[in-house]
Amino acid sequence: MRRTSWRKTPDLSGSQNWIHTGGTEIKTWTVKAIDQSILQNGMGMIVVGSISFAVSLCFALIGDYENFRLFFFPISVLVILFYKQAMQKTIFVYRATFKHLEVCRWQDIPDMVFIFIRVIPFLMIGVVLMLLISNPALSIAALAGPALVGIGLASVGGDSSYQTYWQDFQHGEYLWSDVLEAMLDAEQGLIVLTLPYELPPEYAAQIENPEQFNSQDVRLYFRKDQQAEVIGLVKRQIPTIPLSPGRQSYD
């Protein structure tokens, strides 16, 4: 599956605070990509959604369509949240000079999403109350479905640091001459550059065998219409390092 958006993203390179502005710019490009494991980030919603679906299916089989509709609502919400969470895209803005590569990245999450997450728990509580009023015997089943969804979202969306964490802006700078390896994953739409890395002393002191963390990967995503230019750029900047075909793992 290709991880880059098929839609063209406006060039945002002009609004970034680049460090190496004195270098001759040879290319900039902007792209949105899913830079995470889709399954791992959506596992919680899959589990809760499966429970809600099983309960709603039981109601449908016995002909209780009123409670079926009440349990089907959180499933619809979970589908939307799964798409927003597990399929969440990251905005990447790249700037290449003859010596340096700079990368700016941040999560493409509108503010309305976080407002929606804070409101959802109250809607879930309303669903649970309606279930209990219509049939008090469903208290356990209600907690297994809508209530769990509400509690889970309240614990996440209610945290003030949640939005700050997910929209955290990152800026990296690298030397082309430091690249050790390069891999092309054309199917997913990216090039992975491997560069040397040294753990900060405060982290190295807490880890056994810190020398094993001696490299880092930099992912260069591209859309279909950007593929030829980006591949050509990388080949020109690191002519002595082969661009080996491979598959990037996100596990």
Side-chain angles (χ1 to χ4, degrees):
M1 183 190 78
R2 196 172 187 89
R3 289 179 168 266
T4 52
S5 174
W6 60 270
R7 296 181 180 178
K8 289 188 177 182
T9 305
D11 184 11
L12 302 176
S13 60
S15 59
Q16 309 307 311
N17 295 320
W18 303 114
I19 297 175
H20 302 283
T21 55
T24 302
E25 180 180 288
I26 55 178
K27 183 170 180 59
T28 62
W29 74 98
T30 303
V31 66
K32 292 182 181 180
I34 304 173
D35 188 48
Q36 61 184 7
S37 170
I38 298 173
L39 182 60
Q40 289 181 2
N41 283 273
M43 183 59 69
M45 297 177 193
I46 292 174
V47 172
V48 177
S50 299
I51 295 174
S52 297
F53 178 77
V55 175
S56 64
L57 183 62
C58 291
F59 283 127
L61 292 175
I62 63 176
D64 190 347
Y65 295 106
E66 179 180 354
N67 286 319
F68 165 77
R69 287 191 294 268
L70 290 175
F71 268 89
F72 194 77
F73 172 74
I75 298 176
S76 304
V77 172
L78 283 170
V79 170
I80 297 174
L81 292 177
F82 176 82
Y83 176 79
K84 293 302 297 181
Q85 176 73 16
M87 305 291 287
Q88 177 62 50
K89 291 184 174 64
T90 302
I91 298 177
F92 290 87
V93 185
Y94 302 93
R95 180 177 185 267
T97 66
F98 284 108
K99 290 186 177 181
H100 296 91
L101 170 68
E102 292 187 63
V103 183
C104 293
R105 55 172 293 173
W106 65 92
Q107 295 295 319
D108 182 30
I109 308 177
D111 291 338
M112 283 300 298
V113 172
F114 298 97
I115 297 174
F116 182 66
I117 290 177
R118 293 188 180 97
V119 171
I120 280 293
F122 298 100
L123 297 178
M124 295 295 98
I125 291 173
V127 170
V128 173
L129 291 176
M130 292 176 63
L131 284 170
L132 294 177
I133 292 172
S134 62
N135 191 345
L138 293 176
S139 57
I140 296 178
L143 288 175
L148 282 179
V149 176
I151 292 171
L153 290 175
S155 63
V156 174
D159 187 352
S160 60
S161 63
Y162 182 75
Q163 181 171 359
T164 302
Y165 172 79
W166 281 107
Q167 290 187 316
D168 184 33
F169 180 88
Q170 300 180 38
H171 184 183
E173 54 172 322
Y174 314 94
L175 284 168
W176 288 108
S177 58
D178 285 343
V179 176
L180 303 173
E181 298 177 356
M183 181 189 73
L184 170 62
D185 185 345
E187 183 178 347
Q188 297 191 95
L190 77 152
I191 293 174
V192 182
L193 302 178
T194 302
L195 295 95
Y197 177 73
E198 184 176 349
L199 278 174
E202 59 272 21
Y203 293 111
Q206 304 175 27
I207 300 176
E208 185 177 355
N209 300 324
E211 60 275 3
Q212 63 181 313
F213 300 97
N214 58 3
S215 65
Q216 61 179 324
D217 288 340
V218 179
R219 297 166 183 166
L220 308 185
Y221 288 97
F222 48 78
R223 297 190 308 270
K224 273 284 189 181
D225 61 301
Q226 300 168 325
Q227 180 168 327
E229 290 189 12
V230 174
I231 293 176
L233 166 72
V234 173
K235 288 182 176 180
R236 290 192 301 271
Q237 296 307 113
I238 51 172
T240 60
I241 298 177
L243 192 55
S244 306
R247 177 77 175 182
Q248 174 64 26
S249 174
Y250 293 83
D251 297 331

